[in-house]
Each structure stands twice: as C-alpha cells, then as structure tokens.
Amino acid sequence: MIRVAILGGGIGAQHLEAYYQLEEFVVTHLVDQDAERSAALCGDRITPLSSIEDALFADVDVIDICLPPHLHAPVAIGALEAGKHVICEKPLATSLEQVNAISSAATASGKSVFPVFQYRFGPAFDQLRALQVAGLVGAPRAASLETHWNRDAEYYAIQWRGTWAGEQGGAVLGHAIHAHDLLGTFMAPIVGVTARLGTLVNPIETEDTAALIFELEGVLWRPAASPLVPHPMKPGCGWSMST
C-alpha cells in the first residue's frame, strides 16, 4: 500500500476523492490551515497535521502538494530531501531555476516527481496517442488554441490568487497551462515564444489576458488565451484546439 500525505485541503479535496478510487493508495495524513475543513476531510480515517514539516517526516511514501504556487518548488525539494516521492499540482515551478533544482533533488534522492497534467490522459488524447503509435497521423505542422476561464471577484477573494507573490502568474501559468502542455506533449518541444500580456478585466496584479506565439521544433502554433473573464451565467471553463 502506498501511503500519501496531502498538503492543502482546497484542490486537495478532489485528490482525496480520487485516492479513494485507487486500491493501491491510502491517504494517511493531511495538512490544512482551515481546521474546520481539515476535520471534515480527515474524519476518523486520516491524521490531521498542523505543519508541512510534520508531513515531510511522517511515515508516508508520497507527498501530494496542493498548495499555493509559490510553495510548490521549495516544498517539493524538501519532500525529496526527506526521501518522499512527490505529486505536485500545476505549476510545478515558476522558473527554470526552480525546475532544475527540483530535478537535481530528485536525482540525488532517487525519488520521482509527478506534476499534475491530468488532461494528457483524457479519452480524446488516449485516442490521439493510439493514432500516433499506430502511425496513422502525419507530422504536426501547425495548431491554434483558445482557452477561456470564467473568473470573478469571488475566485480572487482567496488572498494569494492574482498576486505575483502568491500565484506568481495569471492566465498563462495558472490557467492555460494545461492546454499549452498538451501541445508540447503531442506535438514537439518548445524552442521559442513571443507573447503580449494584459490585465484587462479583473483588478489583479497578474495578467488575465494573453496572446502568444510558440515556436516548436519544426512546428508553429498560435494559442490565444483570454481565460479570466467573469460571466455570471456561464461558470466553469472551456478550451478548443485545432491542428
């Protein structure tokens, strides 16, 4: 049985529900600053902990990081140094320097790091992967992408969201990242990027609108992201991709 400690009970609550569907995993510990939420999630089956440090040195195999983005890299490195495997919500890091530091810590510890990019494994992309493996698709040449997320004042009421100190990015890093990951995964590595960013709708520090051109090895794709526009009648999100 693989023992897991979840750090953060926000999106971590969805991780917990997923673990309940997996026979190989058991969540044994959870850290959350909200005592009421922690008690509700833990019940009688999970041990609540008061600090990240307590979780890193608990008797677990995996640390599942569901914290604000500015904590992802340092906590991931700390977990690896404590001899734990790491699952980490997006974004894994907010700079190449952080990515390199995580990679070095993983190599030194012999443990693995699993960023959360669940859309890679959705039914449509399972089908695309099968077509690629079967040699039934040609070489990718170009793609376009539009991403739209509906975000209003209630979403940004959480203190760290929309700030450079806490979220360390907006539309591009925190929202369109899944769609951008899919293009990089199924097409080719990124070798260049041109971007125009703006904060046009929401009273936040980070960008809420972006237009980008990514150059990939042998490919050109133009994703346009305008994801953080409040719309009272249409909660949720949506994105589309064409090649």
Side-chain angles (χ1 to χ4, degrees):
M1 190 71 71
I2 300 171
R3 298 159 298 177
V4 181
I6 296 176
L7 309 185
I11 192 67
Q14 296 182 35
H15 287 220
L16 179 59
E17 287 301 316
Y19 284 121
Y20 286 147
Q21 310 302 315
L22 303 173
E23 295 181 357
E24 301 88 349
F25 291 83
V26 57
V27 177
T28 59
H29 298 77
L30 184 140
V31 178
D32 194 76
Q33 292 182 334
D34 186 325
E36 184 176 345
R37 181 169 66 183
S38 177
L41 291 173
C42 290
D44 297 327
R45 294 183 288 181
I46 299 171
T47 301
L49 298 176
S50 59
S51 73
I52 292 171
E53 290 72 20
D54 289 343
L56 298 188
F57 294 99
D59 183 19
V60 298
D61 306 295
V62 176
I63 298 294
D64 187 346
I65 302 172
C66 301
L67 301 168
H70 72 284
L71 295 173
H72 288 184
V75 173
I77 292 168
L80 292 165
E81 291 176 344
K84 316 298 187 186
H85 298 289
V86 170
I87 296 171
C88 186
E89 265 292 345
K90 53 83 178 168
L92 173 63
T94 57
S95 71
L96 290 177
E97 181 180 6
Q98 288 183 347
V99 171
N100 290 336
I102 293 171
S103 177
S104 296
T107 299
S109 67
K111 300 300 180 180
S112 298
V113 179
F114 305 93
V116 174
F117 285 118
Q118 71 272 22
Y119 290 103
R120 293 184 184 184
F121 306 101
F125 289 97
D126 278 345
Q127 292 170 354
L128 175 57
R129 188 179 292 107
L131 291 172
Q132 289 178 325
V133 170
L136 297 177
V137 296
R141 297 303 181 195
S144 62
L145 168 69
E146 292 188 4
T147 308
H148 303 275
W149 285 77
N150 300 313
R151 296 305 192 202
D152 56 15
E154 182 179 358
Y155 177 82
Y156 289 108
I158 296 177
Q159 187 175 9
W160 56 266
R161 287 179 175 164
T163 67
W164 289 114
E167 195 163 14
Q168 300 193 343
V172 176
L173 185 68
H175 297 80
I177 187 172
H178 283 298
H180 296 163
D181 170 69
L182 290 172
L183 289 173
T185 298
F186 288 97
M187 295 191 71
I190 297 170
V191 295
V193 60
T194 302
R196 294 297 299 271
L197 310 178
T199 307
L200 306 182
V201 179
N202 300 282
I204 58 175
E205 297 175 8
T206 59
E207 83 283 354
D208 63 11
T209 303
L212 304 95
I213 297 175
F214 283 78
E215 181 184 356
L216 281 69
E217 290 183 358
V219 187
L220 183 68
W221 53 277
R222 293 182 169 87
S226 303
L228 309 184
V229 180
H231 194 309
M233 299 301 292
K234 295 181 179 180
C237 67
W239 53 270
S240 61
M241 182 174 70
S242 60
T243 58

